[in-house]
Amino acid sequence: MIGLLGKKIGMTRIFNSQGKCFAVTVVETGPCYVTQIKSAENDGYDAVQLGFKLTREKLASKPRLEHLKKAGVPPVKILKEVRNFDNMDKLKPGDEIKLDVFSEGDVVAVSGVSKGKGFTGVMKRHGFHGGQKTHGQSDRCRAPGSIGQSSSPSRVFKGTRMGGRSGGEKVTLKNLRIEKVDPKNNLLVIRGAIPGANGGTVFIRK
């Protein structure tokens, strides 16, 4: 598997050679730095730790600065471990992985944290259609309706769809196509929408 961390810039549209219009998302991808190589002998599993998004030294904690200094990497804000990384035996701490691992036409999966929407009702959270608007009903238009029985079992079952906090969860979208690669500006143009708000961190993998 090959994967890189990126920052969601926003959405726009592009036209292909036939004049068709597609909605796309622009992602600033990499460069990512190899900050640590984990092995089954030393750590119990094989993985590559990647660092992304350069930051000022005074904004990083001392333990992180020492960890990055040992790898010869500048201060970074985000660290992520990736297992089953391709050509892991050829990587070493301090290596820089750039956008050229992707090419136009590649199909990727994008993971990110969805927008947090706070407390929402059942219509927005689960797609309920609401109650009827006639027969004397005036205040139950957006209510869930019955959530259980009274005498038996005299409780609400776990997992019953009700109002609550929505969003703010890890979401992965698969089979997204890379429409354009801009190595000069470290930009990937991916067809369709990806999880998260503008400025959020996403993980893109083949």
Side-chain angles (χ1 to χ4, degrees):
M1 180 183 74
I2 295 179
L4 285 179
L5 292 162
K7 182 177 77 171
K8 180 178 177 179
I9 302 298
M11 293 193 70
T12 182
R13 62 176 181 167
I14 60 173
F15 295 86
N16 64 7
S17 57
Q18 288 78 36
K20 290 186 178 180
C21 177
F22 297 103
V24 294
T25 304
V26 181
V27 184
E28 181 185 340
T29 309
C32 290
Y33 301 91
V34 178
T35 57
Q36 188 179 1
I37 303 291
K38 295 201 171 185
S39 62
E41 295 78 17
N42 297 330
D43 306 283
Y45 61 96
D46 296 317
V48 175
Q49 188 184 75
L50 299 177
F52 174 66
K53 196 177 286 187
L54 295 176
T55 184
R56 289 179 289 173
E57 188 171 325
K58 70 176 185 178
L59 297 179
S61 64
K62 288 185 178 179
R64 174 167 290 194
L65 284 176
E66 290 301 319
H67 173 65
L68 297 174
K69 193 178 295 182
K70 184 178 178 181
V73 173
V76 291
K77 189 175 182 179
I78 298 166
L79 296 176
K80 180 178 176 62
E81 288 185 6
V82 183
R83 297 197 186 193
N84 304 318
F85 204 88
D86 288 2
N87 301 320
M88 197 172 76
D89 53 337
K90 298 180 181 178
L91 296 175
K92 61 183 185 300
D95 285 352
E96 190 174 335
I97 304 176
K98 296 185 178 180
L99 195 61
D100 52 12
V101 297
F102 295 112
S103 57
E104 293 183 13
D106 284 350
V107 176
V108 295
V110 181
S111 300
V113 178
S114 61
K115 291 181 182 179
K117 300 182 183 301
F119 187 96
T120 58
V122 292
M123 292 183 73
K124 183 171 182 177
R125 193 181 190 205
H126 299 295
F128 285 19
H129 62 70
Q132 60 186 13
K133 300 174 178 62
T134 57
H135 296 282
Q137 180 166 277
S138 61
D139 64 343
R140 312 299 297 162
C141 293
R142 299 184 67 87
S146 173
I147 58 173
Q149 298 76 39
S150 58
S151 60
S152 175
S154 298
R155 63 190 176 90
V156 178
F157 286 117
K158 285 185 177 180
T160 300
R161 293 181 296 171
M162 301 173 69
R165 292 181 65 124
S166 63
E169 300 175 342
K170 182 181 177 181
V171 177
T172 300
L173 293 181
K174 299 180 179 180
N175 300 323
L176 302 178
R177 186 177 187 274
I178 295 178
E179 295 291 339
K180 189 176 180 182
V181 180
D182 184 0
K184 183 178 180 181
N185 299 306
N186 295 321
L187 296 179
L188 273 184
V189 178
I190 301 173
R191 184 184 296 193
I194 64 173
N198 293 345
T201 302
V202 295
F203 179 63
I204 305 167
R205 59 182 171 86
K206 285 190 181 179

